[in-house]
Coordinates of all heavy atoms in Angstrom, one line a residue:
S342 N 27.3 18.5 65.3 CA 26.7 19.7 65.9 C 27.2 19.9 67.3 O 27.5 21.0 67.7 CB 25.2 19.6 65.8 OG 24.7 19.5 64.5
A343 N 27.2 18.7 68.0 CA 27.7 18.8 69.4 C 29.2 19.3 69.5 O 29.6 20.1 70.3 CB 27.5 17.5 70.1
I344 N 30.0 18.7 68.6 CA 31.4 19.1 68.5 C 31.6 20.6 68.2 O 32.3 21.3 68.8 CB 32.2 18.2 67.5 CG1 32.2 16.8 68.0 CG2 33.6 18.7 67.3 CD1 32.8 15.8 67.0
N345 N 30.8 21.0 67.2 CA 30.9 22.4 66.7 C 30.4 23.4 67.9 O 31.0 24.4 68.1 CB 30.0 22.6 65.5 CG 30.2 23.9 64.8 OD1 31.4 24.4 64.7 ND2 29.1 24.6 64.5
H346 N 29.4 23.0 68.6 CA 28.9 23.8 69.7 C 29.9 23.9 70.8 O 30.2 24.9 71.4 CB 27.5 23.2 70.2 CG 26.9 24.0 71.3 ND1 26.5 25.3 71.1 CD2 26.7 23.8 72.6 CE1 26.0 25.8 72.3 NE2 26.2 24.9 73.2
A347 N 30.5 22.7 71.1 CA 31.5 22.7 72.2 C 32.7 23.5 71.8 O 33.3 24.2 72.6 CB 31.9 21.2 72.5
T348 N 33.1 23.5 70.5 CA 34.2 24.3 70.0 C 34.0 25.8 70.2 O 34.8 26.5 70.6 CB 34.5 23.9 68.5 OG1 34.7 22.6 68.4 CG2 35.7 24.7 68.0
E349 N 32.7 26.2 69.9 CA 32.4 27.6 70.0 C 32.5 28.0 71.5 O 33.0 29.1 71.8 CB 31.0 27.8 69.5 CG 30.8 27.7 68.0 CD 31.5 28.8 67.2 OE1 31.8 29.9 67.8 OE2 31.9 28.6 66.1
L350 N 32.0 27.2 72.4 CA 32.1 27.5 73.9 C 33.5 27.6 74.3 O 33.9 28.5 75.1 CB 31.3 26.5 74.7 CG 29.8 26.4 74.4 CD1 29.2 25.3 75.2 CD2 29.2 27.8 74.8
L351 N 34.4 26.6 73.9 CA 35.8 26.6 74.3 C 36.5 27.8 73.7 O 37.4 28.4 74.4 CB 36.4 25.3 73.8 CG 36.0 24.0 74.5 CD1 36.7 22.8 73.9 CD2 36.5 24.1 76.0
R352 N 36.1 28.2 72.5 CA 36.8 29.4 71.9 C 36.5 30.7 72.7 O 37.3 31.6 72.8 CB 36.4 29.5 70.5 CG 37.2 30.4 69.6 CD 36.8 30.4 68.2 NE 37.7 31.2 67.4 CZ 37.7 32.6 67.3 NH1 36.8 33.3 68.0 NH2 38.6 33.2 66.6
E353 N 35.3 30.8 73.2 CA 35.0 32.0 74.0 C 35.8 32.1 75.3 O 36.1 33.2 75.7 CB 33.5 32.0 74.3 CG 32.6 32.1 73.1 CD 31.1 32.1 73.5 OE1 30.8 31.8 74.7 OE2 30.2 32.2 72.6
D354 N 36.1 30.9 75.9 CA 36.9 30.9 77.1 C 38.4 30.8 76.9 O 39.2 30.9 77.9 CB 36.4 29.8 78.0 CG 35.0 29.9 78.4 OD1 34.5 31.1 78.5 OD2 34.3 28.9 78.7
A355 N 38.8 30.6 75.6 CA 40.2 30.4 75.4 C 40.9 31.8 75.5 O 40.5 32.8 74.9 CB 40.4 29.8 74.0
G356 N 42.0 31.8 76.2 CA 42.8 33.1 76.4 C 44.0 33.1 75.5 O 44.6 34.2 75.3
D357 N 44.5 32.0 75.1 CA 45.7 31.8 74.3 C 45.4 31.8 72.8 O 44.4 31.1 72.4 CB 46.5 30.6 74.8 CG 47.9 30.6 74.2 OD1 48.2 31.5 73.4 OD2 48.6 29.7 74.6

Side-chain angles (χ1 to χ4, degrees):
S342 298
I344 294 173
N345 191 45
H346 182 66
T348 302
E349 292 291 339
L350 294 176
L351 289 174
R352 193 175 185 282
E353 292 177 358
D354 296 335
D357 193 353

